């Protein structure tokens, strides 16, 4: 493969990680089938769909064709003849699911199989009777800086000048784009997080922490297709963390509301497990469809469907008026759409707090690294260069006979011996018989 071909394959645009999973499930393909078709493992496909990694080279081009994204060979260059086959038919063939193959299939074979007639998709998990798509909860436009359009070349004198298009909006700086996203999404996210946790202080803390992370990763958030969903997922993860139960301020929920209906619904929601509570709020409260709900909760679509059915059953038993999915959807939508009353910090303070936290963590990491370097150097400088064995003191062992021979005299024995030698015998003199 030449260098130009490799560069064109590496520049193939891919959807966002969340969109990759949605396209795969829309094609009724499992992770194993995509892995077999691409010649990779299932863990690699999961990394592609979570954003931890991305395919490269020919695999990137084949993966884009499998998901229905046009590759570099599908684009018509200036001055080239358009392909004989209509573009719509090419896209229709490129979006069809692939049959399962062996693990040694090359990307070229996977692309060829994408043009085969489609097979009947497997039925999706039944959520019956359930409300249909309630409408998107995403912002109407992407909150990211808009590049100014390059000026068009002047037309030839013989041809009439083309009419001027609509005026482009002024480019937004990263600070302005972040402030717009914060003003648009933060109040509603605080209210939604309160419905998940029942704690107002924790909900404000979770949303502020989510926007701290968003500002730290703003180049990634700014180009995301759904920046509100990115911040919402981060806030939900922080709010539903089980470690908050060890904090005294967040150990118990706040006082329930005074209205009987809202108090009953909020109490029933808080009795659900966190994952079930989050699923029913996203699907019936915010209006996300099932694949988007499964992708945001990091679960498979069947698992998200089962959680939704279980949550509806529990809420229907607690509140008989909400046994029907339509009634539950109306009540949750009205509860989510209430005007938030939380008082939030200004966007500038949130950005300053995020930058201050980043500087603090950086200094802490640098300080710990410097301390480790100093300790390591001191240890290396003061460590002995050779091993000196230590003689252990002797100990008395039971059952072993005493060593024979005269024992070594101690200090007291030596003192007594010297005293006996120096002093005469005070007793009577010995009678020595005389020899006759």
């Amino acid at each position: 493969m030449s260098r130009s071909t490799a560069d064109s394959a590496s520049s193939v645009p891919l959807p966002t990680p969340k969109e990759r999973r949605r396209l795969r499930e829309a094609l009724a393909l499992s992770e194993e089938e995509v892995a077999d078709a691409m010649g990779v493992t299932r863990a690699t496909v999961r990394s592609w769909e979570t954003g931890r990694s991305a395919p490269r080279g020919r695999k990137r081009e084949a993966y884009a064709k499998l998901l229905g994204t046009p590759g570099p060979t599908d684009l018509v260059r200036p001055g080239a003849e358009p392909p004989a086959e209509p573009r719509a038919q090419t896209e229709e063939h490129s979006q069809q699911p692939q049959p399962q193959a062996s693990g040694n299939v090359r990307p070229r074979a996977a692309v060829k199989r994408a043009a085969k007639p489609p097979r009947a998709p497997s039925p999706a998990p039944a959520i019956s009777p359930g409300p249909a798509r309630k409408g998107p909860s995403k912002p109407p436009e992407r909150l990211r800086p808009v590049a100014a359009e390059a000026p068009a070349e002047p037309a030839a004198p013989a041809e009439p000048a083309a009419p001027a298009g609509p005026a482009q909006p002024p480019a937004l700086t990263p600070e302005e784009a972040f402030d717009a996203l914060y003003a648009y999404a933060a109040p509603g996210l605080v209210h939604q997080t309160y419905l998940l946790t029942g704690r107002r202080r924790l909900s404000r803390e979770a949303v502020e922490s989510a926007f701290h992370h968003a500002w730290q990763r703003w180049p990634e958030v700014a180009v995301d297709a759904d920046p509100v969903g990115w911040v919402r997922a981060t806030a939900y993860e922080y709010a539903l963390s089980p470690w908050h139960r060890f904090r005294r301020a967040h150990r118990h929920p706040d006082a329930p509301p005074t209205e009987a209906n809202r108090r009953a619904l909020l109490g029933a929601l808080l009795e659900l497990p966190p994952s079930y509570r989050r699923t029913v709020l996203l699907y019936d409260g915010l209006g996300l469809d099932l694949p988007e709900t499964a992708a945001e909760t990091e679960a498979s679509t069947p698992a998200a469907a089962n959680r939704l059915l279980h949550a509806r059953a529990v809420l229907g038993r607690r509140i008989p008026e909400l046994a029907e999915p339509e009634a539950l959807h109306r009540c949750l939508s009205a509860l989510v759409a209430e005007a938030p009353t939380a008082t939030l910090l200004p966007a500038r303070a949130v950005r300053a707090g995020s930058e201050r936290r980043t500087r603090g963590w950086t200094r802490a990491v640098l300080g710990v690294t410097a301390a480790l370097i100093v300790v390591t150097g001191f240890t290396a400088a003061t460590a002995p260069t050779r091993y000196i064995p230590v003689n252990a003191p002797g100990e008395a062992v039971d059952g072993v006979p005493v060593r024979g021979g005269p024992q070594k005299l101690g200090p007291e024995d030596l003192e007594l011996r010297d005293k006996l030698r120096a002093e005469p015998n005070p007793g009577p003199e010995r009678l020595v018989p005389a020899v006759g």
Side-chain angles (χ1 to χ4, degrees):
M1 182 171 59
S2 62
R3 184 178 182 86
S4 59
T5 306
D7 294 340
S8 61
S10 301
S11 61
V12 175
L14 287 177
T16 59
K18 188 185 300 183
E19 186 68 13
R20 298 170 196 172
R21 174 173 178 170
R22 192 191 67 79
L23 291 174
R24 174 180 61 78
E25 292 182 349
L27 295 173
L29 291 175
S30 62
E31 294 179 352
E32 294 84 355
E33 293 175 342
V34 175
D36 292 341
M38 298 298 300
V40 295
T41 61
R42 180 182 177 184
T44 303
V45 176
R46 186 174 302 172
S47 299
W48 293 350
E49 294 182 354
T50 55
R52 289 192 295 268
S53 64
R56 298 179 181 179
R58 298 293 297 274
K59 289 186 182 295
R60 185 183 183 94
E61 183 179 358
Y63 188 57
K65 285 182 175 292
L66 178 64
L67 297 180
T69 305
T73 56
D74 300 331
L75 303 177
V76 180
R77 294 175 295 178
E81 294 294 334
E85 186 179 6
R87 178 64 182 158
Q89 184 177 358
T90 305
E91 293 183 355
E92 180 181 359
H93 289 327
S94 63
Q95 296 180 3
Q96 303 303 332
Q98 301 179 4
Q100 186 174 0
S102 61
N104 298 326
V105 179
R106 297 181 178 177
R108 184 184 298 274
V111 175
K112 290 182 179 180
R113 280 200 301 271
K116 293 185 178 181
R119 64 179 180 182
S122 57
I127 305 295
S128 177
R133 172 75 177 179
K134 275 74 71 177
S137 60
K138 303 176 182 178
E141 58 180 351
R142 298 170 65 178
L143 299 174
R144 61 172 178 174
V146 181
E149 185 178 359
E153 297 180 359
E159 298 179 359
Q168 296 291 338
L172 297 177
T173 62
E175 291 79 8
E176 293 174 349
F178 177 84
D179 295 350
L181 176 63
Y182 183 81
Y184 174 82
L189 288 179
V190 172
H191 184 61
Q192 298 167 23
T193 313
Y194 167 70
L195 298 178
L196 283 178
T197 60
R199 298 165 175 83
R200 294 179 176 85
R201 183 177 175 183
L202 178 59
S203 62
R204 292 192 296 269
E205 182 181 334
V207 174
E208 291 177 5
S209 175
F211 276 97
H212 285 169
H213 287 82
W215 182 242
Q216 293 171 6
R217 299 168 176 82
W218 185 246
E220 173 189 349
V221 179
V223 299
D224 194 273
D226 184 13
V228 177
W230 194 100
V231 180
R232 179 177 60 235
T234 308
Y236 285 7
E237 289 289 343
Y238 183 93
L240 296 178
S241 174
W243 297 105
H244 295 306
R245 69 183 65 179
F246 298 104
R247 302 171 60 184
R248 180 176 300 178
H250 304 321
R251 189 172 300 173
H252 303 288
D254 298 343
T258 56
E259 296 84 353
N261 296 335
R262 297 180 72 249
R263 182 171 63 252
L265 180 56
L266 186 59
L269 281 174
L270 294 180
E271 289 184 0
L272 292 172
S275 57
Y276 294 76
R277 195 186 317 159
R278 183 177 178 180
T279 300
V280 72
L281 181 65
L282 290 174
Y283 188 84
D284 285 328
L286 298 180
L288 273 67
D289 57 10
L290 198 58
E292 289 181 348
T293 302
E296 186 160 329
T297 57
E298 296 184 357
S300 62
T301 303
N306 292 332
R307 291 175 182 176
L308 180 62
L309 293 176
H310 176 76
R312 285 178 174 177
V314 173
L315 294 177
R317 287 196 299 268
R318 285 292 306 274
I319 309 175
E321 295 82 4
L322 303 181
E324 294 296 329
E326 291 80 3
L328 178 62
H329 163 56
R330 288 194 302 269
C331 188
L332 278 179
S333 299
L335 194 62
V336 170
E338 290 180 352
T341 58
T343 303
L344 300 176
L345 295 175
R348 179 179 299 178
V350 174
R351 286 190 281 106
S354 176
E355 295 170 357
R356 186 166 52 252
R357 178 181 297 183
T358 303
R359 289 194 298 268
W361 278 108
T362 303
R363 292 172 181 173
V365 171
L366 292 178
V368 172
T369 305
L372 289 177
I373 293 175
V374 171
V375 171
T376 303
F378 178 78
T379 304
T382 58
T385 57
R386 60 189 183 88
Y387 175 71
I388 302 176
V390 179
N391 295 326
E395 297 181 359
V397 181
D398 298 337
V400 178
V402 181
R403 185 177 179 180
Q407 300 296 325
K408 184 177 180 180
L409 298 178
E412 297 180 356
D413 300 332
L414 293 175
E415 182 180 359
L416 179 60
R417 185 189 65 179
D418 295 340
K419 184 177 180 182
L420 292 175
R421 288 180 179 178
E423 297 179 359
N425 188 8
E429 297 181 356
R430 293 182 180 182
L431 299 177
V432 181
V435 180

